[in-house]
Amino acid sequence: MASDDAAGLRAILDAAERRRKSVTYYAPEAGDLIERLDTRNLDVEFRAIPPRGPEPFLIVRAGGQFRGAMPVEALREHVGWSRNRRGEMDEHSEAYAIIVELLDDTVFASLSKRQLLLTVREFEDRAWRVGNGVLHTGFQSATAFAPQRGLYRELAAETALDVHIYVADGERVEPLDEPNATLHTEPAEEIGRYWFLVFDGGEEREQGVALVAEQRPDETFRGVWTYDPDLVDRALSLLPSVDGDR
Amino acid sequence: MIDDDSALSEYEGYDWESLSGVPSPDALFRVLSHRRRRRILWFLLERPETTVGELADILVGWELDDEDGTAGPDKHERVLVALHHNHLPMLAESDLVEYDIETGAVRFSSPPEPITVLIKFSYQYERAVAGRRT
């Protein structure tokens, strides 16, 4: 069972890899776009085209299949990188669908502990704002959890969230007093390999998010986060343990 | 009395006597009678070796400018089919382009200057007259 659990979290990383898209970026000059897309779940290939030809554009493929083409400017406006005002984009338009699909999964090839903490904080805030639903967070050690304990107590006390905290390495951790906060310490071995956060979005499914990060020997992390509801569901179904310590 | 050739004097620098392997006038202007082929030829002036796949990407990207939008898989497929069954065979027929149906390789024939000038003119004319937004 224990090794299956590890494979479970591993499977989220693997599923994201499989969904990885390749982008061919056509423009006279590369500019900063490749750097901008660096943390996304994308392989970006730049191909220079002559000036006075088409405006810079992106071709998106997944598994070798063409998925869409969009002007670079449309992407820049959508994500707020443009000097122009952020575009008012019709959420039902093809352009919107293509851009959202392009930016759906996010892999960080390498992330410092601080960057990872900031990302996790963003997702904790998201769960806080929604205020209901189930939040699972896995810490690699009691030492990693200790500084977050106050935050999680508050999160449980102030919201209707069902909070599940997983702490690895078998160290004794005091359960939290809040009835909607459950501590899991028993599936120690596997948890220690991954840092994860999964929020089901509560009553707002589109607010769901799943993050799985794996620590590397050099102390950086490699991982993925996704807002895709199907992947979030999958992450929920793969979590190591359902029963708490009490 | 006006010299018969004076109206064409600006082209006197070209070696009109030794044009060989060039398309017939009808074939040349037929090739240039479609925007996609004008764009392909202009692109090939700059990038003489490419592939049908890259040309499809480029044309789809170019048409984003015309249509002010995005393109999905259907659009790309239509462009690819049109390239493979129509535009590239016609260009190959005119000897301006070699198209390898097996590999998808596309190679420009590097035609003599009067033709490259005409290709550039056609492209520039299109940009000027079709009111390109940029």
Side-chain angles (χ1 to χ4, degrees), chain A residues 5-30:
Chain A
D5 294 341
L9 288 170
R10 167 93 251 156
I12 297 299
L13 287 168
D14 291 346
E17 287 284 354
R18 276 197 303 278
R19 295 156 61 113
R20 194 168 173 85
K21 295 180 184 71
S22 62
V23 171
T24 314
Y25 166 33
Y26 290 95
E29 286 174 22

Side-chain angles (χ1 to χ4, degrees), chain B residues 92-127:
Chain B
E93 185 83 3
S94 73
D95 289 330
L96 289 173
V97 163
E98 289 171 37
Y99 176 44
D100 185 329
I101 293 168
E102 299 297 318
T103 64
V106 175
R107 184 195 296 261
F108 195 42
S109 70
S110 301
E113 197 177 11
I115 292 180
T116 61
V117 168
L118 183 61
I119 290 168
K120 286 180 192 169
F121 172 85
S122 304
Y123 181 66
Q124 185 62 35
Y125 188 79
E126 169 122 47
R127 281 166 59 97

Side-chain angles (χ1 to χ4, degrees), chain A residues 24 26 47-59 61 65-72 74 89 93-96 98-99, chain B residues 42-43 46-47 51 53-54 56-62 64-65 68-77 123-124 127 132-134:
Chain A
T24 314
Y26 290 95
R47 285 196 207 162
I49 51 172
R52 298 164 52 107
E55 292 296 308
F57 65 95
L58 303 174
I59 300 278
R61 290 186 170 80
Q65 298 293 308
F66 181 97
R67 300 300 283 268
M70 78 182 87
V72 168
M89 200 166 240
S93 69
E94 188 182 40
Y96 187 84
I98 291 173
I99 288 174
Chain B
W42 182 82
F43 181 75
E46 306 284 336
R47 188 71 49 77
T51 63
E54 183 171 64
D57 280 7
I58 298 281
L59 287 179
V60 167
W62 231 317
L64 297 176
D65 298 345
D68 201 9
T70 53
D74 291 354
K75 166 81 176 184
H76 193 263
E77 185 62 23
Y123 181 66
Q124 185 62 35
R127 281 166 59 97
R132 203 163 177 284
R133 295 188 324 260
T134 54

